[in-house]
Amino acid sequence: MRQPMFPWALWLCAGLGLAACSSQPQSPGATAVRVERELVSHNLHIDAGEQLVLTSPQRNIRVTEQLLHRVTEFDAGDRAINSHESYQALPWDNQAVGLIAEDRRFALRTNHDGVLRLNLLNEQFVELDFENLRTVQLVARAGPGVVAEQTLLVSRELRSVLREAVTLVHDNLEESGVEQWVYRIHRLDALGLEEESNQLENMLIVLTVGDPELQAEFLQALEGGKQR
């Protein structure tokens, strides 16, 4: 007949069972209680489009911040249960971008989407020598060692357009009459600068709001010029 198991033997078996359980490897579905992120690389990228020669005064430039982290997850026993790399490409949101032209530096800024709207006919560039402007350089800086640069060539045709257009856009409007206003609008359009032509037209409409007679004369001359 089998002898009943002594109590101490029961305790021994139970203890061995617990020890066996504790020595089993962590299950794949273990929950991480602590996560460490280590920055592996940090870069900026300036995307000025495939064509690096400016043939128009305007160009949308997109700046992206690129971050690569090593992510390590730990369990309650502080053992690493997972390790992987995490890559992020984020818009360079509302950040400063420098523009260098003829050894002069200008401060520009991206929008919320990381896009910089470059327009060489903006007022800050008026005093540049467009005849001899061969390149413009864009510089974005996120900190020491984190710098992106991009150089754009200025085409000969654009240099010629800029020399004439800067006068058409920025000369004093009050010193010229309706005929000259209409000429400037149509000439900008003929140079392929539709955006500047529309802006000048809208500006003159606003400026003549207080003088309905002058505004009517301007609109009539403008319409007449379009029908030619």
Side-chain angles (χ1 to χ4, degrees):
M1 181 178 295
R2 179 182 297 178
Q3 295 294 325
M5 186 175 291
F6 294 103
W8 63 267
L10 292 173
W11 283 110
L12 179 60
C13 290
L16 290 173
L18 289 174
C21 291
S22 64
S23 64
Q24 291 178 358
Q26 189 75 34
S27 64
T31 303
V33 296
R34 183 168 65 86
V35 177
E36 287 186 358
R37 293 170 60 86
E38 177 188 359
L39 183 63
V40 177
S41 66
H42 183 192
N43 300 292
L44 291 176
H45 176 68
I46 299 176
D47 181 5
E50 295 183 4
Q51 177 60 264
L52 298 182
V53 178
L54 290 173
T55 57
S56 167
Q58 307 92 9
R59 176 72 69 92
N60 283 339
I61 313 292
R62 185 178 300 276
V63 186
T64 306
E65 184 177 18
Q66 300 172 335
L67 300 165
L68 181 64
H69 288 91
R70 175 163 293 282
V71 181
T72 305
E73 300 176 348
F74 297 87
D75 65 9
D78 215 25
R79 290 172 299 186
I81 58 174
N82 186 25
S83 181
H84 62 275
E85 290 186 341
S86 173
Y87 173 78
Q88 290 178 295
L90 306 172
W92 188 233
D93 176 9
N94 194 31
Q95 297 291 332
V97 176
L99 182 141
I100 302 173
E102 296 184 328
D103 297 325
R104 299 179 60 181
R105 294 178 177 270
F106 303 88
L108 307 176
R109 204 163 194 88
T110 62
N111 64 14
H112 180 68
D113 296 318
V115 175
L116 168 70
R117 177 64 170 171
L118 173 64
N119 188 346
L120 292 177
L121 283 172
N122 282 348
E123 189 173 359
Q124 60 182 323
F125 303 123
V126 165
E127 296 183 4
L128 287 174
D129 179 8
F130 290 118
E131 185 173 357
N132 295 306
L133 183 63
R134 298 294 191 271
T135 64
V136 296
Q137 183 181 25
L138 298 162
V139 182
R141 187 183 305 274
V146 185
V147 182
E149 299 180 355
Q150 183 61 266
T151 298
L152 298 172
L153 303 177
V154 182
S155 70
R156 180 182 302 175
E157 294 76 11
L158 179 56
R159 294 198 299 270
S160 176
V161 167
L162 289 170
R163 287 198 306 272
E164 181 179 0
V166 70
T167 300
L168 296 170
V169 171
H170 294 288
D171 269 9
N172 194 324
L173 291 170
E174 296 179 359
E175 294 179 357
S176 57
V178 168
E179 184 178 344
Q180 184 64 19
W181 294 350
V182 173
Y183 168 77
R184 287 165 67 172
I185 290 169
H186 289 317
R187 183 56 185 160
L188 285 170
D189 195 48
L191 289 172
L193 302 176
E194 183 179 353
E195 180 178 320
E196 283 72 20
S197 176
N198 290 335
Q199 287 177 348
L200 183 59
E201 179 179 336
N202 292 334
M203 182 186 303
L204 284 164
I205 291 174
V206 172
L207 287 175
T208 56
V209 165
D211 189 337
E213 186 176 340
L214 179 61
Q215 187 179 78
E217 181 185 353
F218 165 62
L219 292 175
Q220 184 176 1
L222 187 64
E223 189 61 30
K226 290 179 179 179
Q227 292 175 356
R228 291 177 187 174

